[in-house]
Amino acid sequence: MEYERIEPNYPNGLALGIVAAVAGGIAWGGIAYAINYIFLYGAILIGYLVSLAVIKGTRKVTWFGQIAVPILTIASVLFGDAIFFTLAVMRSEKIPFSWKLLQEVLAHLWEIEMKGNGVLTLIFALVGAGYALYAARKPKFKTSFEPLGAPAPR
């Protein structure tokens, strides 16, 4: 009953979710660039952290969180991929950052994702987000019956 009385704070949940998604995307892109490898377990972690941030902000799992978490998680991973691919092009072509370069990467991002393991990365990210949402769901109580006043064994 206490859980039902919690008043969700949607603006706070959205704000924390956006901060987690941006930070996760930057970390995802930066680490992938540093090690020159996109690792799927990092996607699970991003999904999990974005989900925790939204839940912490709203204070409970609601329909809002169940919609916002997957959207923010996918946006975070795609943002990180865009950072990674932009940095990789800058290094390979030995060119400085430009908004035009970023726009080109973004314009071809889905095409790039489809050539690699981008879709699998998104699925892994959603698994992490789903796990955190599942773990934070409304508690369920089970009734157990114990006999009272049963005669003691002799």
Side-chain angles (χ1 to χ4, degrees):
M1 290 191 306
E2 282 181 42
Y3 188 81
E4 290 296 325
R5 286 193 291 260
I6 296 172
E7 189 66 34
N9 186 343
Y10 297 124
N12 192 39
L14 183 60
L16 287 177
I18 290 171
V19 168
V22 169
I26 291 170
W28 171 262
I31 292 171
Y33 176 73
I35 64 174
N36 201 29
Y37 181 73
I38 293 179
F39 49 101
L40 297 177
Y41 295 115
I44 293 174
L45 184 61
I46 286 175
Y48 186 78
L49 293 177
V50 168
S51 186
L52 285 183
V54 171
I55 293 166
K56 181 161 179 64
T58 58
R59 298 191 308 252
K60 67 191 269 187
V61 176
T62 63
W63 62 268
F64 172 82
Q66 293 172 344
I67 293 169
V69 165
I71 292 170
L72 291 173
T73 297
I74 288 171
S76 179
V77 171
L78 290 175
F79 175 59
D81 284 351
I83 290 171
F84 168 72
F85 293 130
T86 301
L87 292 171
V89 168
M90 288 169 53
R91 178 177 51 196
S92 70
E93 300 298 319
K94 297 180 182 17
I95 57 175
F97 174 80
S98 70
W99 290 108
K100 185 173 188 239
L101 172 62
L102 181 60
Q103 287 174 342
E104 285 297 317
V105 168
L106 290 174
H108 294 68
L109 186 61
W110 192 247
E111 181 183 324
I112 296 167
E113 293 286 347
M114 296 310 280
K115 287 182 182 176
N117 61 359
V119 174
L120 191 58
T121 302
L122 295 175
I123 292 169
F124 270 66
L126 291 173
V127 165
Y131 176 76
L133 283 171
Y134 178 78
R137 72 194 182 286
K138 177 181 173 183
K140 293 188 179 184
F141 298 98
K142 294 181 181 177
T143 306
S144 65
F145 295 98
E146 295 180 21
L148 299 175
R154 291 182 193 207

